[in-house]
Amino acid sequence: MPGRSNGKKGGGARWQKGAILLLLVAGLVFVFREPLAVLAFVLTGGSMSMTEAVDNRPLGYFYRFTARYSHKGEPLVFDYVVACNIRITSYRGGDRSDDSTYAPKVMMLPTKSGSAVMVRTIAACNGQTTENGRVPADLFPMAIWFDDVNDMTFGWGYATWDAYESELSQLEFHEARISPATRADWEAWREASAKDFEPVGMIKTPWGLTYNEPGYGRTPVLARSCFGYSRLEIPDNIRASIQELRPASQPRFWYPVPDKSRETDILKRGQYPSGKEFKKHVTSGTLLYAGAYGLPRWGGNGTLYSWIEDKVPHDVFPLMPTSRSVTTPVDPRAEIYPHNLLNDEHKNKGFVACGGGALIDRAPHRFDPEFARKPKPVFVEGIRTVGPHRTWGAPAFIFDRDKYVYIIGPAGTGAP
């Protein structure tokens, strides 16, 4: 027994020595690898309130992304350097640690008329450039239009070329390119863009966003995710099977019981007379982040990857979030909060709705404590879709009789 007791005591001492040695080594590594952080801490008395400190890992790949637009004759040129697999730590009255696959994920520009435009960065961290032919000449990035630079909580995403041809379009798209760049180019861009930058409305940074910034997520929130449906004609060979799922009341817009495997299996069997299979359009979940690689275009590529080209959308329409479907505060006794699917062929085709974190006075959950449990049905052309009771979210499929199916999540929806 005494020997066993002494063994425990000796083991504890060895463990303590080992832990102390490990901490000393870690401290030395930190001091030699993080000199800027240590210096900042010392100089600021521990407050870390330097204007900026940048600590870059030796990892990193850089490229220049250029996208040219115009608004009523005003040129809107996005031209910036993207950093891949790089850590940026900034101190501007508070800490910021940004470990991003690529940064920035979006960039914003104000217009002279008081509006704003956001473009989603094309994620090209694997050496793709226009010069080496790995980026298509018709590269088609996602742009989001905001009517008011002071309220960028909601905007209109240009998901297909139809949006640029709409009578509501505010933008013209000209071209997009990806070119080689270096760390020196990246540092020069950050310095030059910050030099004369003045905040405008909700645009608070010259370097765009990765959505890891401190304070992101507080109200109001800059629009990030986009929502919409793509509409496709149902192939003749599966119409009868779709009709069997339709509710007995034969509504125009409907969705079946939430057993998605059944309708998905039916849709996957669809085939057009041309031989083209319908199933490529059915599993749209894989497209939610496809906007980061460019959007597919009819008669071309538009995107970096062929698996996205195979899913070229037919007609895309925006799904308005409840916070924008409700224009004034609703009586707390309201039983539903609607989503509106805007399917006007001449106005809404090609757009998706971006945002949902409305300004505080328009967010229903702020004034109705029962908001979360109440149904959020989708209305199309003012007609409520018929289907099982749902407490939140929109169905994966909405059918227009047995003629069309709306499939949630076309390329460009989701978040960057």
Side-chain angles (χ1 to χ4, degrees):
M1 293 294 290
R4 188 174 296 176
S5 175
N6 290 338
K8 283 186 179 181
K9 192 175 289 185
R14 285 194 298 272
W15 182 90
Q16 289 176 350
K17 290 180 180 178
I20 292 171
L21 181 61
L22 183 61
L23 288 172
L24 287 173
V25 172
L28 288 172
V29 170
F30 176 79
V31 168
F32 284 107
R33 291 196 59 179
E34 311 289 342
L36 284 175
V38 174
L39 180 61
F41 188 82
V42 172
L43 291 177
T44 60
S47 66
M48 303 300 280
S49 59
M50 291 179 65
T51 301
E52 181 185 17
V54 179
D55 165 32
N56 301 325
R57 294 177 180 175
L59 315 171
Y61 171 78
F62 304 86
Y63 59 92
R64 182 175 293 275
F65 176 57
T66 307
R68 301 180 185 278
Y69 300 84
S70 59
H71 165 61
K72 296 181 179 179
E74 176 189 357
L76 297 167
V77 180
F78 294 86
D79 185 10
Y80 55 95
V81 179
V82 183
C84 301
N85 303 319
I86 192 166
R87 179 182 179 187
I88 307 168
T89 305
S90 299
Y91 309 108
R92 191 183 296 271
D95 295 344
R96 169 188 164 199
S97 181
D98 176 8
D99 293 278
S100 296
T101 50
Y102 63 100
K105 286 188 167 67
V106 298
M107 183 63 71
M108 302 83 71
L109 284 176
T111 70
K112 293 177 181 177
S113 62
S115 304
V117 181
M118 174 188 286
V119 67
R120 285 185 175 176
T121 303
I122 300 294
C125 294
N126 296 317
Q128 305 101 319
T129 66
T130 304
E131 287 82 353
N132 66 21
R134 295 177 59 191
V135 172
D138 62 353
L139 183 64
F140 190 36
M142 173 84 163
I144 302 174
W145 171 264
F146 300 93
D147 291 328
D148 184 356
V149 70
N150 296 300
D151 181 5
M152 296 174 66
T153 60
F154 177 82
W156 298 101
Y158 287 60
T160 74
W161 196 259
D162 289 326
Y164 290 96
E165 296 181 342
S166 165
E167 61 186 66
L168 297 181
S169 177
Q170 297 289 331
L171 289 173
E172 293 181 34
F173 170 66
H174 303 295
E175 68 165 354
R177 296 178 59 85
I178 293 174
S179 306
T182 64
R183 178 183 293 272
D185 295 328
W186 177 73
E187 292 172 348
W189 164 70
R190 282 178 63 87
E191 182 178 354
S193 58
K195 185 176 181 181
D196 299 317
F197 175 76
E198 292 289 342
V200 181
M202 291 185 71
I203 302 177
K204 305 297 186 183
T205 169
W207 302 314
L209 291 175
T210 64
Y211 299 106
N212 292 327
E213 289 75 13
Y216 186 83
R218 299 173 187 165
T219 302
V221 176
L222 212 67
R224 180 181 184 184
S225 296
C226 299
F227 308 90
Y229 280 85
S230 56
R231 184 187 66 188
L232 297 99
E233 188 172 0
I234 297 174
D236 290 336
N237 72 311
I238 59 171
R239 285 186 189 276
S241 298
I242 294 296
Q243 178 62 27
E244 290 178 4
L245 300 178
R246 196 172 175 186
S249 60
Q250 298 293 289
R252 177 177 174 184
F253 297 107
W254 58 279
Y255 60 95
V257 294
D259 175 17
K260 285 203 309 180
S261 60
R262 183 170 58 168
E263 62 257 30
T264 300
D265 288 343
I266 293 173
L267 290 170
K268 282 183 177 179
R269 297 200 304 266
Q271 192 156 348
Y272 293 108
S274 63
K276 189 172 183 179
E277 296 179 326
F278 191 79
K279 66 181 180 181
K280 290 182 178 180
H281 301 282
V282 175
T283 53
S284 60
T286 56
L287 288 179
L288 287 180
Y289 300 97
Y293 306 119
L295 302 173
R297 295 176 63 162
W298 284 108
N301 298 315
T303 173
L304 301 185
Y305 296 107
S306 59
W307 65 268
I308 303 174
E309 294 172 32
D310 291 339
K311 294 176 177 284
V312 174
H314 286 225
D315 299 331
V316 169
F317 298 97
L319 177 68
M320 297 293 285
T322 58
S323 58
R324 295 288 164 169
S325 297
V326 178
T327 55
T328 57
V330 173
D331 189 308
R333 292 169 295 182
E335 293 301 317
I336 65 170
Y337 288 94
H339 295 276
N340 286 318
L341 177 55
L342 308 181
N343 68 336
D344 187 301
E345 296 278 343
H346 304 290
K347 295 181 179 180
N348 307 121
K349 189 162 68 171
F351 290 102
V352 288
C354 300
L359 290 173
I360 192 166
D361 61 338
R362 295 184 63 179
H365 69 275
R366 299 284 183 178
F367 51 78
D368 186 349
E370 300 297 318
F371 173 79
R373 71 169 183 82
K374 293 181 178 178
K376 319 292 188 300
V378 177
F379 282 73
V380 188
E381 298 181 10
I383 303 171
R384 181 174 177 170
T385 55
V386 175
H389 179 80
R390 299 178 68 93
T391 57
W392 66 277
F397 305 106
I398 294 176
F399 293 92
D400 180 350
R401 297 153 295 187
D402 60 358
K403 186 175 182 181
Y404 295 103
V405 60
Y406 291 85
I407 303 176
I408 200 167
T413 51

